Amino acid sequence: MRKIWGLMVVGLLLTAACGKKNGNASVPGGTVTPAMSGTPTKEITAAPTAEPTAVPTKAPTNTPVPEEIWYPEMIQSSLKSVGNNARLKKVIEKAKAGENVYIATLGGSVTEGAGATTMKQGYAYLFAEEFRKKYGKDGGDNIRFVNAGLGGTPSSLGILRYEKDVVEELGHTPDLLILEFSVNDYQEETAGRAMEALVYNALRGENDPAVVMLFAVFKNKWNLQDNYVAMSKYYGLPMVSIKDAIVKPYAMKVLNDAKFFYDEYHPKNYGHVVMSDCLMYLMDTVDAAEADEMQELPEEPKKSFAFCNTVLIEENMSGVTVEKGSFTEVDRAVQSRGWDNKSSFPNNWKHDPKSGTKALRFTVKCKNFMINYKTSSSAEFGSAEVYVDGKKVRSLEGKTAGGWNNSNLVVVLDESETAEHVIEIKMAEGSEDKAFTVLAAGYSY
């Protein structure tokens, strides 16, 4: 597949360089010559001596369209918007000049690499390697990369994980952050505010980072990209849509689910290659275009800045009092991070029935409070209840039929002003002898 893409990329870049302008975005202006729809007839050089044989004027309807024709068109179709290219152009120029460039991907299981034979064959690693080869200096040693994909992560959990799993792992604010939440944000608890916080927090970095919105797609061709287009345009973000890319190949019947998808939710190796190529096409398009004037960061939000100042709670941190109560154990059976096989939330709080029924209590000045808890199919786990300032606000089920030790993020406090609050998690009646794990907690102020 990469050989086919390699043969076409020079032509595509020339097309992009000569493309039409659409606001600040450079839009490829050329088209790929379609396959011939008919078969030319043979020229008759002498009068026939017998009844002439009918010559077909059309190719058989089942003649396949060559992949070298439709594959580049598919990749081009993924480019929903280049946005304001100044930040991304700066990233590419830094890489070419040999400066250190820090790249991160943040999202759910698709970003982690699920569906591929190995996680290193997932789109995130493939893209990082292609970027290194093409734009890095001296073999790409100046490109630093972390894949912070984790199964079951919506943007609200992403904002909690950002500092720990992106900035700390890179040792630097990313120069390029690729966000993939279009298939994990269904009924996401902050209603898009966490996504805007991720975008805004990244863009306000001193190194003028670039943020790319990547819209993955499920096997049923569903995603939430339309929920984020207006916000992405507001911040001048590039947008790459896998949903848009595959529409025409599916209609032409040159691409199907068996070739692209591993299961209902994840692409197989082929699909991950497509996603990587779509991201590289964005890079190549920006590289071939003139630089835009950098767009100023808006002073007002598109929706809300409520979750911009979000903090992941650690024990013994200043400004927060944590009383474990009966949640004294550490749960070892939690998701591991795909890139290093370490626990995704090692500092968790698990209820120990032997320790009694006392609540896990957080006292903190905040306006929003989030709890990330584990669900399991094991009969060991039970239910818990959440109280805010003494009032019950939520019931949480730790045992579910489809639980796989996965994360479940809920917002239990959502106020407009910062004030001191007490948040308690205690076992529900009838579950006192059961387990329950709070994987993480966080707040914004």
Side-chain angles (χ1 to χ4, degrees):
M1 189 56 57
R2 292 200 175 280
K3 290 182 180 178
I4 293 171
W5 179 241
L7 290 172
M8 301 302 294
V9 72
V10 174
L12 290 172
L13 284 175
L14 291 173
T15 298
C18 300
K20 295 178 285 185
K21 277 293 208 178
N22 182 8
N24 289 329
S26 175
V27 180
T31 57
V32 179
T33 305
M36 293 179 64
S37 60
T39 302
T41 57
K42 223 174 188 180
E43 183 180 356
I44 298 175
T45 56
T49 56
E51 191 71 13
T53 302
V55 179
T57 57
K58 291 186 178 180
T61 56
N62 62 349
T63 300
V65 179
E67 193 168 25
E68 59 265 26
I69 297 296
W70 63 261
Y71 190 88
E73 285 187 314
M74 174 176 67
I75 302 303
Q76 285 181 313
S77 297
S78 72
L79 189 51
K80 197 168 189 70
S81 175
V82 175
N84 181 285
N85 73 15
R87 290 170 178 264
L88 196 48
K89 189 89 172 173
K90 181 178 177 181
V91 173
I92 294 171
E93 294 305 318
K94 282 180 67 175
K96 287 180 176 179
E99 297 180 49
N100 287 339
V101 169
Y102 299 86
I103 300 175
T105 48
L106 178 61
S109 55
V110 175
T111 293
E112 190 174 19
T117 305
T118 68
M119 288 186 176
K120 290 296 176 73
Q121 290 173 288
Y123 86 83
Y125 292 100
L126 295 176
F127 165 73
E129 189 59 29
E130 289 300 306
F131 188 94
R132 271 196 192 99
K133 289 177 182 177
K134 185 151 195 180
Y135 297 114
K137 194 83 168 178
D138 299 327
D141 288 342
N142 60 319
I143 310 300
R144 309 286 191 267
F145 170 69
V146 65
N147 179 12
L150 183 69
T153 296
S155 55
S156 49
L157 185 54
I159 193 69
L160 264 186
R161 295 178 48 224
Y162 179 73
E163 285 295 325
K164 177 173 69 78
D165 288 350
V166 173
V167 178
E168 289 183 17
E169 286 296 322
L170 279 173
H172 198 279
T173 301
D175 292 297
L176 170 58
L177 176 65
I178 297 170
L179 297 176
E180 179 271 307
F181 291 108
S182 66
V183 293
N184 275 38
D185 269 5
Y186 178 65
Q187 296 184 333
E188 181 271 317
E189 291 260 326
T190 72
R193 292 175 293 165
M195 180 72 97
E196 182 165 16
L198 278 167
V199 168
Y200 187 80
N201 285 351
L203 291 178
R204 64 180 173 175
E206 292 182 0
N207 53 331
D208 296 327
V211 175
V212 172
M213 298 292 277
L214 175 62
F215 303 131
V217 67
F218 279 163
K219 189 176 182 178
N220 64 1
K221 315 308 178 289
W222 173 92
N223 72 11
L224 289 166
Q225 66 185 43
D226 291 343
N227 289 26
Y228 294 124
V229 168
M231 187 268 290
S232 299
K233 287 182 178 178
Y234 184 71
Y235 288 98
L237 305 183
M239 291 180 273
V240 173
S241 170
I242 308 307
K243 178 181 177 180
D244 290 359
I246 65 176
V247 168
K248 188 173 180 180
Y250 266 77
M252 295 169 62
K253 300 188 184 304
V254 292
L255 184 62
N256 55 38
D257 292 342
K259 189 170 186 175
F260 195 94
F261 289 98
Y262 172 78
D263 57 19
E264 295 298 316
Y265 311 111
H266 309 107
K268 58 175 54 172
N269 286 5
Y270 183 93
H272 279 285
V273 170
V274 170
M275 293 182 72
S276 171
D277 284 348
C278 289
L279 286 170
M280 280 303 298
Y281 180 68
L282 166 64
M283 303 298 142
D284 295 340
T285 301
V286 169
D287 184 43
E290 294 181 4
D292 297 329
E293 183 177 343
M294 188 173 296
Q295 179 176 321
E296 293 287 335
L297 193 60
E299 294 183 3
E300 299 295 326
K302 177 64 177 174
K303 178 177 267 189
S304 170
F305 286 155
F307 288 85
C308 284
N309 297 315
T310 296
V311 179
L312 177 67
I313 293 175
E314 302 283 356
E315 288 189 44
N316 303 318
M317 69 188 306
S318 62
V320 184
T321 300
V322 181
E323 300 169 72
K324 292 183 181 181
S326 59
F327 289 70
T328 54
E329 290 189 346
V330 174
D331 196 335
R332 305 296 182 189
V334 300
Q335 289 174 270
S336 60
R337 305 189 307 188
W339 67 91
D340 61 6
N341 290 321
K342 293 181 180 178
S343 174
S344 55
F345 298 100
N347 302 319
N348 57 66
W349 300 275
K350 182 181 179 182
H351 176 250
D352 178 9
K354 297 177 183 177
S355 297
T357 59
K358 204 169 182 180
L360 170 62
R361 180 181 290 113
F362 301 93
T363 305
V364 59
K365 288 183 178 180
C366 62
K367 58 183 177 181
N368 300 293
F369 197 93
M370 295 177 282
I371 296 171
N372 181 33
Y373 69 99
K374 165 182 159 175
T375 50
S376 169
S377 59
S378 170
E380 173 194 359
F381 285 82
S383 304
E385 297 173 339
V386 182
Y387 292 77
V388 175
D389 301 328
K391 181 181 178 180
K392 180 182 172 182
V393 297
R394 200 103 179 208
S395 295
L396 307 175
E397 299 294 332
K399 179 185 180 300
T400 62
W404 44 278
N405 301 333
N406 53 300
S407 292
N408 302 264
L409 188 131
V410 293
V411 177
V412 298
L413 175 68
D414 195 353
E415 302 287 345
S416 58
E417 301 294 333
T418 298
E420 184 168 278
H421 295 282
V422 177
I423 293 87
E424 297 174 294
I425 301 102
K426 60 179 70 175
M427 298 307 293
E429 185 177 353
S431 287
E432 295 89 349
D433 62 343
K434 299 290 186 180
F436 188 90
T437 300
V438 176
L439 292 169
Y443 67 95
S444 63
Y445 57 90

